[in-house]
Amino acid sequence: MSHASQEDSPPNPARLAVHKFGGSSMADAACLRRVAAILAEVGDLNQVAVVSAMRGVTDALLAVLARAEAGDGVWQSLLYDVLGRHRDSARALLNGSAQPYLDWLDAQAVVAREVLGAVAHLHSANGTAAGFVQGLGEVWSSRLLVAFLRQSGRDVAWLDARELLSVRTGALGAVVDWEESARRLAAWRQANPAACVVATGFVAQDENGRACVLGRNGSDYSAAIFASLFAADRLTLWGDTNGVLSADPRLVPEAVDLPELSFDEACELAYFGARVIHPQTMTPAIARGLPIHIKNTFAPAHPGSVISAAAGEGASPVRGLSIVEGMALVNIEGAGMIGVPGTAERAFGALADAGVSVTMISQGSSEHSICCVVKAVQSAAAAKALQHAFAAELARGEIAGVSVHAEVAVLAAVGDGMTGKPGVAARLFGALARSNVNVRAIAQGSSERNISVAMAAADARRALRAVHAAFWLSPQTVGVGVIGVGKVGAALLEQLKAALPRLRADSGLDLRLRAVANSRTMHLDDNGREVGDWRAALDGAAPLDLAGFADQVQAAHLPHAVIIDCTASADVAAHYAEWLQRGIHIVTPNKQAGAGDLDVWRQIRRACRQSGVRFRYEATVGAGLPVIQTLRDLVDTGDDIVAIDGILSGTLAWLFNRYDGSRPFSALLHEAHAMGYTEPDPRDDLSGMDVARKLVILAREAGRELSLDDVTVESLVPPALAGVSADQFLQRIDEADAVLAERHQQARANGAVLRYVARLDEQGARVSLCELPSGHAFSHLRLTDNIVQFTTRRYADNPLIVQGPGAGPEVTAAGVFSDLLRVASQLGAVA
């Protein structure tokens, strides 16, 4: 049998199975046909289908009830609309056989109008009236499914749970009278022995025999109750998702299916709002050890999820993540609480008396403060209750006060695999720190199955995605913006385009190119999963706004953001400190920040320390060579830098590697310019200022707070040509030939060669044209190679050398890309 046919085949038939179909599964005639097909295909010997109201009907009936209670006559038209939806579905489903159901529905409508009319007259809906009206959707949808199944030839019985299921209201919700309900079911079953039963979910009767409902998720609870009463072998809850997901897919689109999880894990996730099932629903199943299958009505072949007593070990210790929003943090603190028995009891007793439900509790071992998370709508009542309970201590100053922090969310990480496994909390809090999320409170039970953290609501989605990626439940997602699409920027974008699919597939890294900008315009992309035709997108795009650009890259729902500055702009570099402070990582080959104003440099370093973000600028010196990383490693490991020497200009390296006196220097310069080796204005290379900036960057990395003015620079631009246009300079560059020819001849006479060298030592920093012995390491470079020599305490007799291609857009872009991947690796990606 092929794999496909195995997936399409029904599971092993159960002696008796309970299937629950939610509102989305019952939404219209097409959905009802699908439900009937599933019931026919699963192959159960006996089955009970517990059904919800059609999607949206319960909410519509609540609106009808509210309008009637307010005395608003609109309730009648709203009720007519709800009934009309059932009539339309009946005609579409039953065709010419719909009249019996329509007649029955008309009789139901008469009763509903009488009840609602009384509510409108009294301007009050007591518990009986409210329970009756709320449960009508399940009654009407279940009868319609029964009619269709009978028309299809099925032997089916209709079970109205209002006549059979007896419950009473307890502190934790509806409590089943199992003995009475079982007695009634036995009698009902004798009169209704059909192999297929369709039962109303959500509804029941109270201890006084009046209609009531089981609360939200009541249909799931009904299914679990009937699975117990019928002694079912299988319980399946059918909905509109492929089982349970690792997180809410609306918040984490990369959420993954969970094939299995334990009852404990499901309870923890459900409590924090995950789309699993309500913990109360599982109680009857847990008592019988009955696994609960979660499946998709719209993809019945998908295996879905199984919730059971013990799930197998997953690839990650965290099974799933959940966020509960709309919360507030209530804190009571003071030195008078330390070592005083009963303080916590008084605090939580006061909250209980005020009817405040506590979601999370946190207290330090010092006992100086107790904080708890409550629903935001209850925060004022919570604070008032605590102030009243500790009024005497507040008056004496023994308790400093009761404070409320609004707009809080709680993230819960859940998994049986967390128990006894070191490093889980470290990974979680590391992910939050890297995504710049501040944790307000922490709670973990002794079972170690759940770690809960409270944070600002504005950080919740970013935190959820960061932690989800940290436990390898999804790729590590990074918002990326590229400013500058010249030679280096364009090469980088092409490298990104080629690499993104591989990085997602092999490295768990999802780079989202959310913004691209040149000096005039910017293109913003909310998806950013592909590097499209950015050239066309920038043509006629919105004007460049660096603040809006940064906001686009640092999306609230993405855990991390990186801006890549491929310009040479001082104006862009002036924003670095601000961006770093707000948590945006920066990668750049732009030397303006590293060699610019020293105060700005200090602000950048301070912002990195305060925010914990990364500023990577390897490509500012040596293009793709690991010059800065090598220097950083030397310094970080405690070595002392004695001197740094280097040929740091690929253009000048090429010129003087080629300059042997056989051709004028000007001819070589024209050749280099034609090949694109020089800047558009070659004076930018010949002035030595670019080399000086690189030397300043290395000096600062070595711990020397140098400015560009501190570097002695020998310019190769003749003074007479400094102020002319670029075209005039190229026409008159031969005026420099004689001076350089004389220096070359002198060097040759001394057995040396000319090289343009940067040097940092105890005497200072300088860049100049030097004579070097023919045996010097700098004398035999390959064309555009850069070379840097580190003389240190450890590398005194034999200096450490880094050498390789140091020019060209492809090489520089690769250096920038490498820095981006280093940042991603530090954020938790595998890359």
Side-chain angles (χ1 to χ4, degrees):
M1 182 180 290
S2 69
H3 179 69
S5 61
Q6 286 178 340
E7 284 189 343
D8 294 340
S9 63
N12 295 329
R15 183 183 59 79
L16 190 147
V18 172
H19 300 269
K20 177 265 176 178
F21 295 94
S24 59
S25 303
M26 301 287 292
D28 52 31
C31 289
L32 287 168
R33 288 193 184 93
R34 189 176 292 110
V35 167
I38 289 172
L39 291 173
E41 290 170 2
V42 291
D44 306 317
L45 300 179
N46 294 275
Q47 56 191 195
V48 178
V50 179
V51 301
S52 297
M54 291 181 176
R55 183 173 52 197
V57 164
T58 301
D59 288 337
L61 289 170
L62 286 170
V64 171
L65 188 65
R67 289 298 186 94
E69 191 171 14
D72 187 344
V74 176
W75 70 264
Q76 298 185 56
S77 62
L78 294 179
L79 178 62
Y80 180 84
D81 292 341
V82 177
L83 289 165
R85 182 175 170 186
H86 289 80
R87 292 190 181 98
D88 292 343
S89 295
R91 294 187 184 100
L93 189 66
L94 303 174
N95 299 320
S97 304
Q99 197 56 48
Y101 174 80
L102 296 176
D103 292 342
W104 175 86
L105 188 63
D106 287 341
Q108 287 281 306
V110 170
V111 177
R113 289 192 183 96
E114 289 176 352
V115 173
L116 288 164
V119 169
H121 180 73
L122 298 171
H123 294 284
S124 175
N126 60 27
T128 301
F132 174 80
V133 174
Q134 288 181 67
L136 289 175
E138 277 72 14
V139 176
W140 298 345
S141 66
S142 61
R143 276 298 289 259
L144 181 54
L145 178 61
V146 167
F148 180 65
L149 290 172
R150 286 174 177 169
Q151 180 179 289
S152 305
R154 296 291 301 275
D155 178 19
V156 58
W158 180 55
L159 193 162
D160 185 346
R162 297 175 300 180
E163 299 175 359
L164 186 149
L165 189 57
S166 179
V167 301
R168 58 180 174 80
T169 302
L172 300 178
V175 178
V176 179
D177 184 339
W178 291 102
E179 185 176 345
E180 177 60 20
S181 298
R183 185 189 64 77
R184 293 179 184 180
L185 176 61
W188 183 90
R189 197 66 174 135
Q190 282 190 339
N192 299 275
C196 180
V197 174
V198 174
T200 55
F202 186 51
V203 297
Q205 67 170 243
D206 63 18
E207 57 266 41
N208 298 313
R210 296 175 298 198
C212 66
V213 295
L214 301 180
R216 288 295 186 181
N217 301 299
S219 293
D220 284 348
Y221 190 26
S222 297
I225 292 169
F226 282 124
S228 181
L229 291 173
F230 276 91
D233 302 307
R234 188 192 305 273
L235 171 58
T236 305
L237 306 181
W238 296 85
D240 55 6
T241 61
N242 291 332
V244 182
L245 298 176
S246 56
D248 187 337
R250 295 168 298 181
L251 303 179
V252 184
E254 302 85 5
V256 297
D257 298 330
L258 300 177
E260 55 183 350
L261 63 165
S262 70
F263 287 129
D264 290 329
E265 290 171 327
C267 285
E268 295 275 9
L269 285 170
Y271 179 78
F272 282 91
R275 295 183 65 186
V276 190
I277 53 178
H278 194 278
Q280 187 182 38
T281 300
M282 288 180 275
T283 304
I286 293 172
R288 293 191 59 234
L290 178 65
I292 302 173
H293 299 254
I294 313 291
K295 299 202 65 175
N296 191 345
T297 307
F298 305 94
H302 191 282
S305 302
V306 179
I307 305 173
S308 60
E313 184 174 345
S316 168
V318 171
R319 188 80 70 172
L321 301 163
S322 191
I323 282 280
V324 57
E325 297 180 290
M327 310 301 286
L329 188 67
V330 180
N331 188 57
I332 177 170
E333 62 181 302
M337 298 167 56
I338 299 175
V340 178
T343 302
E345 179 184 4
R346 288 172 61 195
F348 294 112
L351 293 175
D353 291 342
V356 175
S357 176
V358 177
T359 297
M360 174 180 157
I361 303 165
S362 181
Q363 180 180 17
S365 58
S366 69
E367 303 181 40
H368 181 264
S369 68
I370 299 174
C371 70
C372 58
V373 177
V374 302
K375 292 180 180 178
V377 295
Q378 294 185 312
S379 60
K384 184 177 180 180
L386 291 173
Q387 288 165 351
H388 178 74
F390 293 94
E393 288 84 354
L394 287 165
R396 293 193 298 267
E398 295 171 358
I399 289 181
V402 177
S403 59
V404 175
H405 303 275
E407 298 184 359
V408 167
V410 175
L411 181 150
V414 173
D416 288 341
M418 296 163 60
T419 303
K421 181 164 290 187
V424 174
R427 199 189 305 181
L428 186 149
F429 292 114
L432 293 176
R434 288 190 296 271
S435 58
N436 206 31
V437 173
N438 181 49
V439 175
R440 300 277 186 85
I442 305 165
Q444 180 179 20
S446 60
S447 70
E448 302 181 56
R449 186 179 294 114
N450 181 328
I451 300 177
S452 300
V453 293
M455 65 194 66
D459 295 334
R461 188 171 183 184
R462 185 168 74 255
L464 181 62
R465 295 189 70 157
V467 176
H468 197 271
F471 287 98
W472 303 312
L473 297 170
S474 64
Q476 186 65 264
T477 307
V478 181
V480 177
V482 176
I483 307 176
V485 291
K487 293 179 180 178
V488 174
L492 173 65
L493 288 169
E494 292 306 310
Q495 290 175 12
L496 282 170
K497 180 184 290 187
L500 290 188
R502 176 185 56 79
L503 290 173
R504 290 192 188 105
D506 299 340
S507 301
L509 177 58
D510 184 7
L511 298 175
R512 301 288 183 89
L513 185 64
R514 292 179 54 82
V516 179
N518 56 28
S519 60
R520 303 175 307 280
T521 62
M522 63 181 184
H523 168 64
L524 308 182
D525 184 350
D526 288 336
N527 186 335
R529 290 185 61 85
E530 305 295 335
V531 180
D533 187 351
W534 51 269
R535 292 183 177 85
L538 283 172
D539 186 17
L544 175 60
D545 169 20
L546 289 177
F549 185 94
D551 289 341
Q552 172 71 12
V553 175
Q554 193 180 37
H557 66 284
L558 297 182
H560 309 292
V562 178
I563 288 179
I564 304 175
D565 174 19
C566 291
T567 73
S569 167
D571 291 338
V572 176
H575 288 78
Y576 287 2
E578 171 198 344
W579 291 340
L580 291 164
Q581 193 66 53
R582 63 183 280 185
I584 300 175
H585 307 273
I586 294 176
V587 172
T588 185
N590 185 349
K591 293 178 279 292
Q592 293 294 337
D597 184 90
L598 195 53
D599 285 338
V600 173
W601 173 251
R602 293 188 184 111
Q603 291 172 19
I604 289 172
R605 300 304 290 262
R606 186 162 52 248
C608 289
R609 289 193 299 270
Q610 292 174 348
S611 65
V613 297
R614 309 293 177 179
F615 175 44
R616 302 287 308 195
Y617 47 95
E618 182 71 77
T620 57
V621 180
L625 298 178
V627 176
I628 292 176
Q629 185 61 53
T630 301
L631 176 55
R632 186 177 293 133
D633 289 343
L634 291 171
V635 172
D636 289 346
T637 57
D639 205 350
D640 297 320
I641 306 299
V642 176
I644 300 175
D645 297 273
I647 293 178
L648 303 177
S649 168
T651 302
L652 294 176
W654 186 88
L655 287 170
F656 286 102
N657 282 333
R658 294 286 306 279
Y659 187 45
D660 59 4
S662 62
R663 297 175 62 192
F665 185 82
S666 60
L668 290 173
L669 183 65
H670 281 292
E671 183 180 346
H673 186 263
M675 292 189 299
Y677 283 0
T678 72
E679 294 294 331
D681 186 341
R683 285 174 295 187
D684 293 338
D685 299 299
L686 298 178
S687 69
M689 294 308 296
D690 184 63
V691 175
R693 290 189 184 93
K694 295 176 180 179
L695 187 60
V696 169
I697 292 170
L698 292 177
R700 291 177 178 177
E701 196 65 44
R704 302 269 294 273
E705 290 197 333
L706 262 64
S707 294
L708 196 57
D709 292 340
D710 298 323
V711 183
T712 302
V713 180
E714 178 185 0
S715 174
L716 301 183
V717 178
L721 302 183
V724 302
S725 69
D727 289 340
Q728 290 176 322
F729 171 79
L730 286 169
Q731 292 171 5
R732 297 173 54 187
I733 183 58
D734 57 355
E735 295 177 17
D737 284 345
V739 173
L740 288 171
E742 182 180 350
R743 293 191 64 173
H744 172 71
Q745 291 170 1
Q746 182 179 346
R748 176 178 287 182
N750 295 330
V753 295
L754 292 178
R755 296 292 184 265
Y756 197 84
V757 179
R759 181 172 177 85
L760 174 73
D761 56 22
E762 292 182 354
Q763 284 70 48
R766 55 199 176 276
V767 295
S768 60
L769 188 62
C770 302
E771 289 187 17
L772 298 178
S774 58
H776 195 281
F778 291 5
S779 298
H780 302 284
L781 298 181
R782 296 182 56 189
L783 297 179
T784 60
D785 271 9
N786 278 195
I787 186 169
V788 180
Q789 176 178 280
F790 297 104
T791 304
T792 73
R793 176 172 50 82
R794 295 175 188 153
Y795 295 93
D797 298 329
N798 187 15
L800 176 63
I801 289 178
V802 178
Q803 178 182 349
E810 293 290 340
V811 172
T812 305
V816 174
F817 202 166
S818 295
D819 268 353
L820 174 61
L821 294 180
R822 288 190 186 96
V823 171
S825 178
Q826 290 163 342
L827 296 177
V830 181

